Amino acid sequence: MEVFTEKEKRILTVTKSPSDELSLTNCLVINEDLFKNLKTKYGDELFTKISFNNGTKFIYKICSHDKISPELIGLSYIQREWTQITLQCKADVSICVCTKYAVISKINLKIDFLYKKSKIMESFNTDLMAKKFNECFRDLPFTKGQKLIFKLTDKMPLLQLVVDKIECIENSASTFGLLKMNSLVFFDKADDSEINLTGKYRGAVTMTTTSILNPDWDFSKMGVGGLDKEFSVIFRRAFVSRVYPPELVEQLGLQHVKGILLYGPPGTGKTLMARQIGKMLNASEPKIVNGPEILNKFVGESEKNIRVLFEDAEADQKKYGVNSPLHMIIFDEIDAICKQRGTATGSTGVADTVVNQLLSKIDGVEQLNNILIIGMTNRKDLIDEALLRPGRLEVQMEINLPNEEGRLQILNIHTSKLQEHKKLHSDVDLKQISVQIKNYSGAEIEGLVRAATTNAMNKLVSQGQGKVEINPNAVESLLVTKTDFDVAASDIKPAFGSGTDDADHYLDIGIFIYGNPISSIIEDGELLIKQAQSGSLVSPVSLLLQGPAGSGKTALAAHLAYKLSNFPFVKVVSPENMIGYSESSKCQAIKKIFDDAYKSELSCIIVDDIERLLEYVPIGPRFSNVVLQTLIVLLKKKARKGHKLLIIATCNSSDVLRSLQVLDCFNATIYVPAIRDVIYMTNILRELNVFNNDELREIESSMKQKSFNVSLKKLISLAEMAKQSDDSKVIKFICLLDQQCAKTAFHPILDDRSVFDLKHVPFLGQYF
């Protein structure tokens, strides 16, 4: 249904508006008698649909004046300029009445001085202008692009207004509507205008509440997967306020979030996420800065580089105020330029001044509300704390390793081309692969797909006589199979995964389940593993394996961690990896392993040979108190929410740890005994495959009446030594075992009592 219904048509000649007052009404003027007759016939609300030779139609409201002839219609200069019609031109005028309201909800007007010579420096209050505009032009029709004259007060110069945008209640993208009492009116400076505006109704109004977002954003299509939860938090904290119209945000007195810090392990998608946020937002082209690029050897140049980054944002802030477009600055490796002040080496102090300059630009005296800074780092601890407070890098989001669902998303992203062109074999189950590749980062998953693809390509390559050939007929049949992914998984190892090298090192000969003592240890260990996986009250779960040196504690710990727990992250804190370390370096190395463990949902840490780690010796006694306190703190530290940690430690004597106040840090202590039973010894020798059955019976018969106490490691060593004597290896083994038992007869520390007090040892009691 048309908004206006035509009642009758007339041909009138265009003339000037009879008075300046009528020019300010934005109405077309006709003869008074004619106007009265039309009102009698059609009612009070009369409009004109006026068209000219070029076919263009314009809608105006009409009013009357007694000094204009019936065959004329009066247009002001600004109306003739917009309609592009000259005086004395014949115009087709349709007399209309309004039958349907197209009510304007918001109208945006470009404003400038009508005459440049009449410009003044005094500011115009947009709040008063909006109120005056509604009073003067209520119930008048407006069209996008329409020009009109406006006067705020008698003392103010005339202003020229141009309708820039219109939003109607029925149609948000309308080009025409009627101004009503509740219509919102906003003013914005025309291009190159020098007029000064104040008030909440200044600036270009955001015509739709979601214009800050690109309507076609989709993180899966942008190549980012597994970060749905992180992005939802970032959107809530940083972007939701930018969705609302600027005038409402200003009424709330709200300052937008100016900074986001993305931190986490390498390869988890921090840089990629920051780049895609820039594409997702309807903002100026993001400025991407690699941290070290800012620094310059010349005095003052580094600070200047920071200032240059903010110049465009400052210019738009001055020009558009709260309606300025968003400016994004992305700092990759932000820790390179924002280290904690006072920690940088050298005498120039450049690093400190760069941080000061950045702080003043983000949240200084002249605050900017049209910027969004995204910083990325692997080392949040290096960044100056002043940069992390609210008002600066306020939203701090840790980008962790993806979970199973996230890994599947990333696999789908990186195999999309293979699936699209049907190059992925039917035996490839991406969901199953996502379960297998635990603790892989996004970059490592990309590398996995790349390695699998190159494995499939390599099958079609033949080498011979100094050249490489590809069978062109086989190229079409190229498919990436499950076997290719399996081979790729053996090549691409996760940085925060279970180290197979450590597993091979500690389990090179496996473990010997020679009897009930070892079986019960493994059973108790499995219970603690289940507690660490599913328990909710205690985390971390910690186990201490205590027993004489060489009894197999480290191998048992490795078996529990690598074979039974199946945790995606397993690391070993071992004294052999820290030879030559200073106390502080050793503390940092231990802390790093514990910090890395919390980047995985399920983690296991083996703390091997605690006495050696603490540099403990009984004479003195002497130990490293710095390392001791670090270890106690880390063992007692509560696991982060959503992370489960299992700690398995080994030591030779629980009494040493009790005296050092470490024993209480463990949830359970299990004793790993030495070999004292001939049946257990025979079982171990049988697994070593050094002696045949007759020789084993001879050894068992010989040792049955003897008392012996030997560690597992020593027993294996004696068997290996006896093996070298082919003719008399049984006799040699028994002699070696007797000698070993004689040596250890005076070492009660090998006693298999679960609780042993060193005060009772004659030659050590003086130290306790």
Side-chain angles (χ1 to χ4, degrees):
M1 182 178 179
E2 291 286 338
V3 176
F4 296 99
T5 302
E6 297 183 3
K7 295 299 183 180
E8 61 179 79
K9 292 186 177 181
R10 294 174 179 270
I11 297 178
L12 301 176
T13 303
V14 175
T15 186
K16 293 182 179 180
S17 185
S19 67
D20 292 339
E21 288 75 13
L22 288 173
S23 297
L24 295 174
T25 62
N26 197 36
C27 296
L28 302 189
V29 187
I30 61 175
N31 178 264
E32 187 174 11
D33 293 334
L34 175 61
F35 182 72
K36 290 179 180 179
N37 293 334
L38 293 173
K39 284 180 63 176
T40 302
K41 292 169 64 176
Y42 307 119
D44 293 337
E45 294 292 322
L46 296 176
F47 299 86
T48 63
K49 186 181 291 184
I50 183 168
S51 60
F52 304 98
N53 296 333
N54 59 6
T56 307
K57 294 183 179 181
F58 304 92
I59 301 294
Y60 279 100
K61 195 171 183 178
I62 56 176
C63 61
S64 64
H65 195 273
D66 57 355
K67 292 185 179 180
I68 195 168
S69 301
E71 68 278 3
L72 300 178
I73 185 168
L75 278 76
S76 66
Y77 165 75
I78 203 74
Q79 291 168 333
R80 298 197 303 273
E81 182 182 6
W82 179 52
T83 57
Q84 297 181 356
I85 191 65
T86 59
L87 296 173
Q88 305 303 317
C89 178
K90 301 292 185 180
D92 294 328
V93 177
S94 297
I95 306 301
C96 307
V97 295
C98 183
T99 55
K100 179 185 177 183
Y101 287 105
V103 178
I104 294 174
S105 60
K106 297 177 183 178
I107 183 171
N108 186 37
L109 303 163
K110 293 282 188 179
I111 185 171
D112 197 5
F113 295 107
L114 181 63
Y115 305 111
K116 295 294 183 183
K117 63 181 180 181
S118 63
K119 67 179 181 180
I120 59 175
M121 298 304 296
E122 186 177 349
S123 297
F124 287 79
N125 189 305
T126 55
D127 301 347
L128 297 177
M129 291 169 63
K131 183 178 179 181
K132 180 75 172 180
F133 187 90
N134 257 317
E135 292 175 355
C136 295
F137 303 122
R138 187 178 302 166
D139 298 326
L140 264 63
F142 287 93
T143 307
K144 186 176 180 180
Q146 181 176 345
K147 296 181 180 180
L148 63 153
I149 302 173
F150 178 67
K151 190 173 185 179
L152 182 59
T153 64
D154 292 337
K155 296 181 180 180
M156 292 289 191
L158 293 174
L159 303 173
Q160 175 180 289
L161 305 180
V162 179
V163 179
D164 185 38
K165 294 179 183 178
I166 291 177
E167 182 178 330
C168 290
I169 295 175
E170 297 85 356
N171 183 3
S172 61
S174 179
T175 59
F176 171 83
L178 290 172
L179 189 76
K180 292 296 181 179
M181 179 178 64
N182 295 326
S183 300
L184 296 175
V185 183
F186 297 88
F187 298 90
D188 188 20
K189 295 195 296 184
D191 296 339
D192 301 325
S193 175
E194 298 181 19
I195 192 169
N196 295 317
L197 301 178
T198 61
K200 66 181 181 181
Y201 289 103
R202 73 182 188 277
V205 64
T206 304
M207 302 309 292
T208 58
T209 58
T210 58
S211 63
I212 189 64
L213 296 178
N214 187 326
D216 193 30
W217 67 272
D218 184 347
F219 260 33
S220 62
K221 294 180 181 178
M222 290 181 176
V224 180
L227 297 174
D228 297 341
K229 180 180 177 182
E230 288 81 358
F231 177 74
S232 64
V233 175
I234 289 174
F235 181 84
R236 174 176 59 83
R237 295 283 309 279
F239 299 143
V240 71
S241 64
R242 299 182 184 274
V243 172
Y244 285 85
E247 66 274 7
L248 176 60
V249 175
E250 191 176 23
Q251 291 174 17
L252 296 174
L254 182 66
Q255 289 285 324
H256 296 303
V257 168
K258 300 174 184 177
I260 302 171
L261 179 67
L262 305 177
Y263 65 96
T268 50
K270 300 182 294 297
T271 302
L272 182 59
M273 187 178 189
R275 291 176 185 270
Q276 300 305 348
I277 286 175
K279 295 179 182 178
M280 183 199 70
L281 299 178
N282 283 333
S284 301
E285 184 69 20
K287 296 179 180 178
I288 301 175
V289 183
N290 292 320
E293 293 178 354
I294 291 294
L295 303 178
N296 193 298
K297 65 179 180 179
F298 296 105
V299 176
E301 287 299 313
S302 300
E303 296 84 342
K304 180 182 176 182
N305 292 338
I306 293 290
R307 292 194 296 271
V308 168
L309 295 174
F310 292 84
E311 284 180 349
D312 294 340
E314 290 173 339
D316 283 353
Q317 177 93 342
K318 291 178 181 178
K319 184 175 182 180
Y320 300 110
V322 295
N323 303 288
S324 168
L326 180 64
H327 291 261
M328 289 184 59
I329 305 173
I330 299 174
F331 286 97
D332 199 3
E333 305 299 338
I334 193 172
D335 55 283
I337 61 171
C338 293
K339 287 185 172 62
Q340 293 186 18
R341 286 169 289 183
T343 61
T345 58
S347 59
T348 60
V350 172
D352 291 357
T353 56
V354 168
V355 176
N356 294 337
Q357 182 70 80
L358 186 60
L359 294 176
S360 64
K361 283 297 179 183
I362 298 175
D363 190 29
V365 177
E366 297 182 2
Q367 293 189 10
L368 295 174
N369 204 29
N370 62 340
I371 59 169
L372 179 64
I373 294 175
I374 302 179
M376 294 158 288
T377 181
N378 302 329
R379 298 289 307 274
K380 179 187 174 185
D381 55 300
L382 296 181
I383 298 177
D384 191 275
E385 60 183 12
L387 199 64
L388 303 179
R389 73 158 174 79
R392 289 166 182 167
L393 298 185
E394 181 171 344
V395 179
Q396 297 158 31
M397 178 58 60
E398 183 175 7
I399 308 299
N400 269 317
L401 298 170
N403 56 17
E404 182 180 326
E405 181 182 353
R407 293 193 296 270
L408 180 59
Q409 290 180 12
I410 299 171
L411 278 171
N412 280 315
I413 289 169
H414 292 300
T415 59
S416 58
K417 290 292 184 182
L418 294 173
Q419 296 179 56
E420 180 183 347
H421 296 93
K422 298 181 179 179
K423 295 296 182 182
L424 203 61
H425 197 278
S426 58
D427 67 351
V428 176
D429 186 350
L430 294 181
K431 188 171 183 179
Q432 181 183 0
I433 294 174
S434 69
V435 175
Q436 295 172 347
I437 55 173
K438 296 178 180 179
N439 277 24
Y440 275 68
S441 67
E444 288 163 346
I445 294 174
E446 182 183 3
L448 178 76
V449 175
R450 184 165 51 246
T453 306
T454 56
N455 288 336
M457 296 170 68
N458 187 58
K459 295 175 183 177
L460 306 181
V461 176
S462 59
Q463 300 180 13
Q465 297 181 354
K467 62 179 181 179
V468 178
E469 295 180 347
I470 301 174
N471 185 356
N473 298 325
V475 172
E476 293 297 325
S477 62
L478 174 66
L479 290 174
V480 181
T481 65
K482 181 180 182 298
T483 305
D484 296 323
F485 275 97
D486 293 338
V487 174
S490 64
D491 294 334
I492 307 296
K493 300 296 183 182
F496 297 95
S498 176
T500 55
D501 293 340
D502 288 337
D504 294 339
H505 175 67
Y506 293 110
L507 294 172
D508 54 344
I509 61 173
I511 62 169
F512 296 90
I513 306 178
Y514 54 79
N516 185 62
I518 301 301
S519 299
S520 61
I521 289 173
I522 293 176
E523 290 176 4
D524 292 344
E526 288 179 326
L527 290 177
L528 289 167
I529 289 171
K530 292 178 181 178
Q531 180 185 357
Q533 289 175 326
S534 58
S536 58
L537 300 178
V538 178
S539 185
V541 174
S542 54
L543 165 66
L544 176 65
L545 297 177
Q546 174 253 328
S551 57
K553 302 182 297 298
T554 302
L556 281 170
H559 180 75
L560 292 172
Y562 289 105
K563 300 298 183 182
L564 299 183
S565 75
N566 199 28
F567 282 11
F569 180 96
V570 181
K571 292 294 181 184
V572 180
V573 179
S574 174
E576 68 182 39
N577 298 328
M578 300 182 187
I579 296 174
Y581 279 28
S582 65
E583 288 185 329
S584 59
S585 299
K586 190 179 290 188
C587 293
Q588 289 298 324
I590 297 172
K591 182 178 181 297
K592 184 180 185 305
I593 291 176
F594 275 81
D595 289 343
D596 290 345
Y598 289 115
K599 294 170 183 174
S600 172
E601 293 182 354
L602 278 174
S603 305
C604 179
I605 297 176
I606 299 174
V607 183
D608 190 32
D609 203 351
I610 294 182
E611 292 98 334
R612 299 287 74 75
L613 200 64
L614 299 177
E615 303 175 12
Y616 174 84
V617 290
I619 301 174
R622 185 196 178 279
F623 59 91
S624 172
N625 187 55
V626 176
V627 178
L628 172 64
Q629 299 305 323
T630 300
L631 198 59
I632 290 175
V633 169
L634 294 175
L635 289 173
K636 289 185 173 182
K637 182 180 179 182
K638 188 173 178 60
R640 298 179 189 174
K641 187 177 181 181
H643 296 266
K644 301 293 181 63
L645 176 61
L646 172 65
I647 301 172
I648 304 176
T650 68
C651 76
N652 294 338
S653 173
S654 60
D655 296 285
V656 172
L657 300 192
R658 182 181 291 109
S659 64
L660 296 176
Q661 299 180 349
V662 180
L663 193 63
D664 293 338
C665 299
F666 295 95
N667 303 125
T669 301
I670 298 177
Y671 184 77
V672 182
I675 311 300
R676 300 186 63 181
D677 191 300
V678 69
I679 301 298
Y680 296 160
M681 181 186 68
T682 305
N683 292 338
I684 295 170
L685 294 176
R686 183 176 290 110
E687 289 190 43
L688 289 174
N689 201 25
V690 173
F691 306 100
N692 58 36
N693 290 335
D694 293 336
E695 291 170 336
L696 288 174
R697 281 192 291 271
E698 183 179 349
I699 293 172
E700 184 177 349
S701 175
S702 175
M703 299 300 296
K704 208 164 190 179
Q705 305 302 323
K706 296 181 182 180
S707 175
F708 62 91
N709 190 339
V710 64
S711 68
L712 175 62
K713 186 175 182 180
K714 181 60 69 173
L715 183 64
I716 295 172
S717 176
L718 296 178
E720 281 286 311
M721 187 183 301
K723 183 180 179 182
Q724 311 310 314
S725 178
D726 296 330
D727 297 334
S728 57
K729 57 182 179 181
V730 174
I731 297 173
K732 187 63 176 176
F733 174 75
I734 294 173
C735 291
L736 292 172
L737 187 58
D738 287 339
Q739 292 175 9
Q740 180 63 31
C741 292
K743 290 180 183 178
T744 58
F746 300 102
H747 291 268
I749 197 169
L750 290 177
D751 189 83
D752 61 356
R753 290 176 294 175
S754 59
V755 178
F756 186 80
D757 191 352
L758 291 181
K759 295 178 182 179
H760 299 157
V761 182
F763 60 89
L764 293 181
Q766 58 181 314
Y767 301 112
F768 294 88

